Amino acid sequence: MDRDRRITREELKAALYEAYRRFKGNTDGKNADYIPYLANVDKDLFGISICLKDGEVLTVGDCNYRFGIESISKVATALLVLKEYGPETIIDMIGADATGMPFNSILAILLENEHPSTPLVNAGAISAVSMVSPVGNSRGKWEAIKDNIDRLCGSEVTLIDELYRSESVSNHNNRAIAWLLKGYDRIYDDPELSLDLYTRQCSLGVTATQLSTMAATIAFGGYNPVTKRRVFPAALSEKLTSMIASVGMYEYTGDWMFRTGIPSKSGVGGGIIGVLQSDAYIKQTTYAGEILAHYRGTGGFVGSIYPYQPTVDHDHDGATQKFIVDGKEEVYYKNNDQAAGVVGTANQAVNANQCNLEIYESSFTGSI
Ligand code: GLU
């Protein structure tokens, strides 16, 4: 096997199209319906976007369709407060631990009444929003939240009014969370104001292209490869990615990481971003597509992500690792440079693999 073979951009595109072709027709899963707006989104929408290190964005499918960012916004606001307060204060005021429970769990708060656990579940996200400056000033806070998401996405995002209305009249569980946290002194602004801004940030409309730019900006240490602007200090990238890796897919995160190796964050609007950083080990995109295509952004549930069990065939020279999937050999590659991130769609969420051009066959026995 030629270990130094580069995957060309053409091969990458071919893999992207192949992943799209193979999973476009997959109709497993269903829309989230606890937010009425989401129940009515066309479930056939499907797109995959990969933002490369030089700023080129590869897309296939419905990558210009605007859908609700939902919980992917938690990543952006986590970043905002990390930037403002620093990691130690965030650990102290919110936490960075996986709950192992559903995204909107009240039980998780009761069990860990000292912390809302992490900014990437609802409790911690509402808490994070409450910390954004200027405290007490709804308009100022909103500007800060939206401006940050604009800069991560590389272009302006806009509110989907109908989604915001729909979510505002149905967010009783989140209201309970906000007030419960208030009782534990874990809301640092007015609870209703914090809840409203959290709901509003979840209702921002984004495209798959914008989300992949956001994922790439995180992967590239805060440097947005599309706008060529620094959005946040490089040191925060690993903090944010560790949160994504530990709880980005909620109570399914362990299985997800085990199977895909891609730190990912879901949104109930159907999007998923994946972030791969330096020295990540990546798989052929078609294979990742196969795994990930089985995730649907349905109420935060990961359905049958992975309907088959790969058998592992350790390559004797340790240079590559082959997985036999459905009788077909899949080879893992090492990405020799920073690679980035991925995707979004409306309800047929698929996270393609990351990629830039520096991909070499190598050992899989490292860790990401
Ligand atoms: N706005 C949604 C909620 O709070 C976000 C959930 C998600 O995307 O996982 O219910």
Side-chain angles (χ1 to χ4, degrees), residues 34-35 70-71 74 103 122 167 174 198 202 250 266-269:
Y34 73 99
I35 298 169
E70 295 295 347
S71 283
K74 290 171 178 163
F103 65 102
N122 289 19
E167 197 154 338
N174 287 341
Y198 165 75
C202 287
Y250 302 126
S266 62
V268 79

Side-chain angles (χ1 to χ4, degrees), residues 285-307:
T285 24
T286 48
Y287 181 60
E290 182 145 5
I291 297 171
L292 299 167
H294 287 84
Y295 172 83
R296 301 310 175 91
T298 53
F301 300 117
V302 179
S304 56
I305 299 177
Y306 199 61

Side-chain angles (χ1 to χ4, degrees), residues 238-315:
E238 63 197 59
K239 298 294 177 201
L240 200 59
T241 308
S242 78
M243 286 177 176
I244 296 171
S246 56
V247 72
M249 308 300 275
Y250 302 126
E251 70 270 39
Y252 305 99
T253 307
D255 286 355
W256 176 275
M257 284 301 296
F258 183 82
R259 286 167 169 156
T260 70
I262 303 174
S264 303
K265 180 74 203 89
S266 62
V268 79
I272 305 178
I273 59 166
V275 177
L276 282 180
Q277 296 174 306
S278 197
D279 279 333
Y281 288 82
I282 65 161
K283 299 171 287 269
Q284 276 183 310
T285 24
T286 48
Y287 181 60
E290 182 145 5
I291 297 171
L292 299 167
H294 287 84
Y295 172 83
R296 301 310 175 91
T298 53
F301 300 117
V302 179
S304 56
I305 299 177
Y306 199 61
Y308 40 67
Q309 210 52 41
T311 54
V312 180
D313 169 19
H314 294 278
D315 202 29

Side-chain angles (χ1 to χ4, degrees), residues 49-57 72 75-76 79-80 83 147-155 208-241 244 263 273-278 338-343 354-355:
S49 174
I50 302 177
C51 182
L52 303 174
K53 197 177 184 184
D54 65 2
E56 186 180 353
V57 182
I72 300 171
V75 173
L79 176 66
L80 198 57
K83 223 161 56 164
D147 176 64
N148 180 49
I149 296 177
D150 287 345
R151 294 201 289 137
L152 284 165
C153 288
S155 55
T209 303
Q210 287 176 314
L211 280 186
S212 66
T213 307
M214 174 175 174
T217 304
I218 298 166
F220 299 148
Y223 174 79
N224 185 321
V226 172
T227 61
K228 318 280 185 225
R229 296 229 162 120
R230 176 156 292 286
V231 181
F232 61 88
L236 294 182
S237 181
E238 63 197 59
K239 298 294 177 201
L240 200 59
T241 308
I244 296 171
I273 59 166
V275 177
L276 282 180
Q277 296 174 306
S278 197
Q338 283 195 324
V342 188
V343 187
Q354 66 59 59
C355 282

Side-chain angles (χ1 to χ4, degrees), residues 51-285:
C51 182
L52 303 174
K53 197 177 184 184
D54 65 2
E56 186 180 353
V57 182
L58 307 180
T59 60
V60 60
D62 302 307
C63 289
N64 290 323
Y65 178 80
R66 236 163 44 94
F67 58 97
I69 188 172
E70 295 295 347
S71 283
I72 300 171
S73 66
K74 290 171 178 163
V75 173
T77 301
L79 176 66
L80 198 57
V81 292
L82 274 167
K83 223 161 56 164
E84 190 177 342
Y85 294 82
E88 279 312 309
T89 307
I90 294 307
I91 281 275
D92 190 40
M93 292 176 79
I94 300 178
D97 214 359
T99 64
M101 292 192 194
F103 65 102
N104 59 357
S105 175
I106 286 183
L107 187 59
I109 303 171
L110 298 176
L111 290 174
E112 287 204 45
N113 63 18
E114 287 183 8
H115 292 291
S117 292
T118 160
L120 300 194
V121 298
N122 289 19
I126 297 169
S127 197
V129 166
S130 78
M131 291 172 70
V132 172
S133 288
V135 170
N137 178 340
S138 176
R139 181 197 282 237
K141 283 172 88 111
W142 176 243
E143 273 168 19
I145 290 169
K146 198 183 103 53
D147 176 64
N148 180 49
I149 296 177
D150 287 345
R151 294 201 289 137
L152 284 165
C153 288
S155 55
E156 192 177 359
V157 298
T158 48
L159 196 69
I160 303 177
D161 290 308
E162 203 187 329
L163 173 56
Y164 175 48
R165 280 196 298 275
S166 180
E167 197 154 338
S168 296
V169 296
S170 57
N171 63 354
H172 315 298
N173 193 89
N174 287 341
R175 175 161 285 111
I177 288 174
W179 283 99
L180 190 60
L181 288 177
K182 171 75 178 162
Y184 289 131
D185 289 331
R186 292 292 173 189
I187 286 286
Y188 308 100
D189 202 337
D190 179 75
E192 287 296 327
L193 178 153
S194 307
L195 174 68
D196 175 56
L197 290 176
Y198 165 75
T199 308
R200 223 189 294 176
Q201 75 170 28
C202 287
S203 305
L204 283 168
V206 286
T207 65
T209 303
Q210 287 176 314
L211 280 186
S212 66
T213 307
M214 174 175 174
T217 304
I218 298 166
F220 299 148
Y223 174 79
N224 185 321
V226 172
T227 61
K228 318 280 185 225
R229 296 229 162 120
R230 176 156 292 286
V231 181
F232 61 88
L236 294 182
S237 181
E238 63 197 59
K239 298 294 177 201
L240 200 59
T241 308
S242 78
M243 286 177 176
I244 296 171
S246 56
V247 72
M249 308 300 275
Y250 302 126
E251 70 270 39
Y252 305 99
T253 307
D255 286 355
W256 176 275
M257 284 301 296
F258 183 82
R259 286 167 169 156
T260 70
I262 303 174
S264 303
K265 180 74 203 89
S266 62
V268 79
I272 305 178
I273 59 166
V275 177
L276 282 180
Q277 296 174 306
S278 197
D279 279 333
Y281 288 82
I282 65 161
K283 299 171 287 269
Q284 276 183 310
T285 24

